[in-house]
Every structure is written in C-alpha cells, then in structure tokens.
Amino acid sequence: DSTSNDTAVPLDCSEHHLASPGDPEYLMDVALVLICVTSSALASGLTQGLLSLDEMEMEIKLRSGTLIEQKYVSRLLPLVKRHHLILVSLMLWNATANEAMPSFLDRRVPEYVAIILSVTLVLFMGEIIPASLLTGPNQLVIAYYLAPVAYGVIFILFPVAAPIAYLLDVLLGYDGMTLYKKKELKTL
C-alpha cells in the first residue's frame, strides 16, 4: 500500500482571464487600468508642472505680462500659493492610482507580468511623458487647462490632504516666492 502525497496538482489558470476581451469583467479591468494610468499621468505631470512654477515669476506676469499670460496666471497662482495642499493632494492621487493598477492587472495576467506591466506603464506613461509635457515650453498653457483637474482633486481629497498639508506648513513653513538680493537682480 504505497500512498503518495506527491500527486500532481494541475495549475489553476482560471483566476487569470487571459483571452476574453468580450467579457464585461475583462473590459472593466482594462478600463480601470486605463483610468489608473491616466490618473497617474495627470497627477505626476501636474505635481511637477505646478510645483515648478515660480511664484515670483507668476506675480510679475500677473502685473506686467500679456493678457493671455495674466489669464493663465490668475487661474494658476492660487494653486501655486497652496504649495503643500496641491503637493499632498496630487501625491495621494498618484499613489492611489499606482497602487491600484497592479490589482486590476493581476486579475488578467500572472503576478510577475502584472508587476512588469505596471512598472513600465507608470514609468513611461505616468512619469516620463507627463513630466516632459508639463515642464516643457508650453507648461503655463497646459497647466492652465489642467488646473480644473487639480482643483477637483483638492476638493475630493481635502479631508485627508488638508491636515497633512497644514502639518507640513507648520513643520516646514512655506516660502513660496523667490526673493532676490540687489546683486542678483543686477545679474538678471
């Protein structure tokens, strides 16, 4: 009587629906991954784009820039002045999107593929491309048109982001304007 516990257990691939694009659950997972990638891209790009705007330069454009620059700056300056609030709100949004994406991918592909896909999508679509767009030559224009997204994120995440931003303001302070010394102004 030789009973063996070494019986082969077939791999259960039913947890990964690899080839069912017509399945509503599959379409939902693809849509959720796309939402995560888009959210990550917007959050990352807006974080870098808005936080790299110089408050002093914006104040100057508000007073002496062209009419279009004044229009753009008037929408963006309130965001830039709330440095820690926009920082925390956008980073919370970005972290949520980046953390959620692998869970939707993992339902469709093996875990290691989900990790590789997630990292690749976040790196290129969620970091490199948005950063290059939102810190490039059209930074002010793109930030102007995406500012409503930033305001919406602040509104939604305010209960969580505001206390953290306040704590950062208290602990770190915020000196938003670049102040120049006389010698530095002469150099400019």
Side-chain angles (χ1 to χ4, degrees):
D1 178 45
S2 150
T3 322
S4 173
N5 289 338
D6 296 334
T7 55
V9 178
L11 291 175
D12 181 17
C13 294
S14 64
E15 67 180 274
H16 302 293
H17 305 285
L18 298 177
S20 51
D23 180 17
E25 285 182 31
Y26 178 88
L27 295 175
M28 179 62 78
D29 284 341
V30 170
L32 290 170
V33 167
L34 291 174
I35 289 169
C36 288
V37 170
T38 303
S39 293
S40 177
L42 286 168
S44 175
L46 280 168
T47 301
Q48 293 182 41
L50 290 172
L51 298 179
S52 66
L53 292 171
D54 183 65
E55 192 175 328
M56 175 68 84
E57 185 179 329
M58 292 181 71
E59 289 283 356
I60 291 168
K61 284 183 180 186
L62 188 61
R63 291 185 177 86
S64 61
T66 65
L67 288 176
I68 195 76
E69 286 176 331
Q70 291 174 354
K71 175 184 170 184
Y72 295 157
V73 168
S74 65
R75 179 182 284 176
L76 296 172
L77 196 54
L79 281 171
V80 173
K81 286 185 175 193
R82 300 292 309 267
H83 178 84
H84 287 132
L85 181 60
I86 191 67
L87 172 71
V88 172
S89 298
L90 291 173
M91 290 188 94
L92 284 171
W93 185 30
N94 194 17
T96 302
N98 290 343
E99 292 298 320
M101 188 184 328
S103 65
F104 303 125
L105 287 169
D106 194 38
R107 295 194 302 213
R108 300 293 154 203
V109 296
E111 186 178 1
Y112 74 94
V113 175
I115 291 169
I116 292 169
L117 278 173
S118 179
V119 168
T120 304
L121 287 170
V122 167
L123 180 62
F124 289 101
M125 304 302 291
E127 297 291 338
I128 294 171
I129 293 170
S132 63
L133 289 173
L134 275 142
T135 59
N138 297 317
Q139 176 182 15
L140 202 60
V141 176
I142 296 170
Y144 170 82
Y145 285 108
L146 291 177
V149 174
Y151 282 112
V153 170
I154 289 172
F155 179 78
I156 292 167
L157 295 176
F158 191 83
V160 176
I164 298 169
Y166 177 75
L167 186 63
L168 289 173
D169 287 341
V170 169
L171 294 175
L172 304 175
Y174 175 67
D175 185 16
M177 280 213 209
T178 303
L179 300 176
Y180 297 101
K181 296 179 177 134
K182 198 171 190 178
K183 183 179 179 182
E184 292 169 330
L185 282 174
K186 284 181 183 180
T187 304
L188 288 174

